[in-house]
Amino acid sequence: FVEKAQQKGYISEMVGPIAYHTPVIITPKSNPAKISKVQDLAQPGVKLVMPDKEATAIGKTVFKTFDKLGIAGQVEHNVLSYVETPAKVVTTILMDQGNAGIVEYSNTYKNLDKLDVVEIDPAVNIVEQIPCATLNFSKQKEQSKDFLEFMKTEGPAVFEKYGFKTKI
């Protein structure tokens, strides 16, 4: 969204990345499907719960990874359910209604005692930056500059506190 706003000339200043949206695979602690890499999601019999690939940024992003690897069709065959948010993917996996799913890394930090997190190989994972920007038409220019400075200096620590990766 920031890139689109920048292309349209709406952005006056931008800092970042402040943090990163990092797709990861989650499984119940027992990892019943023995998932160790993203390609394992295409194995027959894997029961997947996925974020909606049209309505969620993470769903769109991860299907680009599947397409890049040539496994999108097999993965789609294994999807039990597409849900509205990554948080619902976590909840569904915690309720043992699937044996793997994809979420953003920050969705896992509250449940690391109940979930296994399988990192996706950085060579194929699509990690998106989280910037912070001020808009040209802001009526509170000084406050927006102050907030941008706060985000530049303090933002990464705040994002990290809530489970986001701040380094790749």
Side-chain angles (χ1 to χ4, degrees):
F1 296 112
V2 172
E3 287 173 8
K4 287 181 184 180
Q6 195 171 28
Q7 290 168 359
K8 291 184 178 199
Y10 298 155
I11 303 292
S12 62
E13 192 176 351
M14 185 166 61
V15 298
I18 306 298
Y20 297 90
H21 281 295
T22 308
V24 294
I25 301 164
I26 59 169
T27 73
K29 261 303 188 203
S30 63
N31 194 353
K34 306 296 181 229
I35 303 296
S36 64
K37 60 187 183 290
V38 71
Q39 292 87 339
D40 292 343
L41 300 178
Q43 293 177 7
V46 175
K47 298 173 185 167
L48 297 175
V49 178
M50 298 292 293
D52 188 283
K53 66 181 183 175
E54 302 301 324
T56 66
I58 191 95
K60 290 176 189 175
T61 299
V62 77
F63 269 90
K64 289 178 188 174
T65 299
F66 298 152
D67 285 337
K68 184 171 29 171
L69 293 170
I71 62 171
Q74 298 100 309
V75 168
E76 282 190 286
H77 183 74
N78 288 342
V79 174
L80 292 174
S81 178
Y82 288 101
V83 295
E84 300 88 349
T85 65
K88 286 188 178 183
V89 173
V90 171
T91 301
T92 305
I93 295 298
L94 289 173
M95 293 172 40
D96 285 329
Q97 294 181 358
N99 48 34
I102 300 268
V103 297
E104 201 283 320
Y105 185 77
S106 66
N107 296 114
T108 67
Y109 86 105
K110 289 183 179 178
N111 293 294
L112 289 173
D113 59 329
K114 300 173 194 140
L115 295 171
D116 282 340
V117 176
V118 179
E119 303 265 344
I120 298 172
D121 180 352
V124 298
N125 203 5
I126 299 171
V127 175
E128 295 182 348
Q129 298 179 0
I130 302 173
C132 186
T134 56
L135 301 172
N136 289 331
F137 44 83
S138 171
K139 292 182 178 164
Q140 298 173 335
K141 300 256 186 232
E142 274 311 303
Q143 291 91 341
S144 66
K145 283 184 181 249
D146 289 346
F147 182 72
L148 204 60
E149 185 59 33
F150 169 80
M151 288 303 292
K152 188 163 96 176
T153 59
E154 306 294 326
V158 173
F159 272 83
E160 192 169 4
K161 177 181 176 182
Y162 292 98
F164 285 83
K165 291 192 175 202
T166 56
K167 295 176 181 74
I168 44 176

